[in-house]
Amino acid sequence: SPAVFTALILQAGVWPGIPMLLCAAKPEVAEALTSGRYGRLPVHTTMAEGRAVVAAGRGGPPAMVDRLLPTTAAARHARMMATEACTRWSLPDLIGPACLIASELVTNAAEHAGTIMTLRISRRPRYLHLAVRDGSPVEPKLHRPELTEPGGRGLLLVDSVAVRWGAMPCRDGKVVWATLAA
């Protein structure tokens, strides 16, 4: 049933990463998916066509991406990017939460990984995704420090603000991500 594809794409929209493309569908399935009954899902005639769309940067959601050095200035730059993204995509209510999450994820990468990182902020129909890729394979751990301990509360803040957050290993490091409801 074409509704399965709609459900999969909606579920995939909660998670960051690879765009979901539908390719080489039977004509009747392609018609059902593109007609609007199931949300006008993009369908590509061939895998080569779908790959070409992704290679051209048109296969995924609108996004802002920048590479950052592991310095104290990276957090400020991340907040500026989050503000610009939310303004550009008409999400003024998410500026504060997006800035907090971007700042915390970038600060954690700078402090714990100490490598060049990539900040990606992307807009989905129902979600705003923020993800930081760094060069360390060590996944972050949520812990609850004592009130007298300095620092260590960044992921607690992310956990309290985000709809979901997590980490995924990747080649040469990891991606730590968080999702906000748009």
Side-chain angles (χ1 to χ4, degrees), residues 28-111:
E28 60 274 11
V29 174
E31 172 63 29
L33 293 172
T34 58
S35 68
R37 182 174 180 195
Y38 298 99
R40 295 193 192 281
L41 303 176
V43 178
H44 304 282
T45 308
T46 65
M47 290 285 288
E49 179 186 303
R51 287 184 176 132
V53 167
V54 171
R58 300 184 321 252
M64 293 179 64
V65 181
D66 204 357
R67 289 177 54 93
L68 308 171
L69 295 173
T71 66
T72 55
R76 182 177 65 245
H77 185 75
R79 289 189 298 273
M80 289 172 29
M81 276 183 66
T83 300
E84 182 180 342
C86 291
T87 301
R88 180 182 296 179
W89 299 324
S90 301
L91 300 170
D93 294 344
L94 293 185
I95 291 173
C99 284
L100 179 134
I101 288 172
S103 182
E104 291 301 333
L105 296 183
V106 164
T107 298
N108 281 351
E111 288 180 5

Side-chain angles (χ1 to χ4, degrees), residues 13-14 19 62 75 85 99 114-115 121 124 130 132-133 136 150-151 155 158:
V14 177
C99 284
T115 65
I121 303 171
R124 299 281 178 125
L130 299 101
V132 174
R133 179 180 179 158
S136 170
L155 287 179
V158 170

Side-chain angles (χ1 to χ4, degrees), residues 139-150:
E139 291 195 18
K141 296 202 180 352
L142 183 66
H143 73 284
R144 304 192 188 290
E146 296 297 323
L147 291 177
T148 57
E149 291 180 40

Side-chain angles (χ1 to χ4, degrees), residues 117-138:
M117 65 197 91
T118 302
L119 170 61
R120 178 182 185 84
I121 303 171
S122 56
R123 171 73 163 103
R124 299 281 178 125
R126 296 171 40 198
Y127 299 97
L128 181 71
H129 290 288
L130 299 101
V132 174
R133 179 180 179 158
D134 64 46
S136 170
V138 179

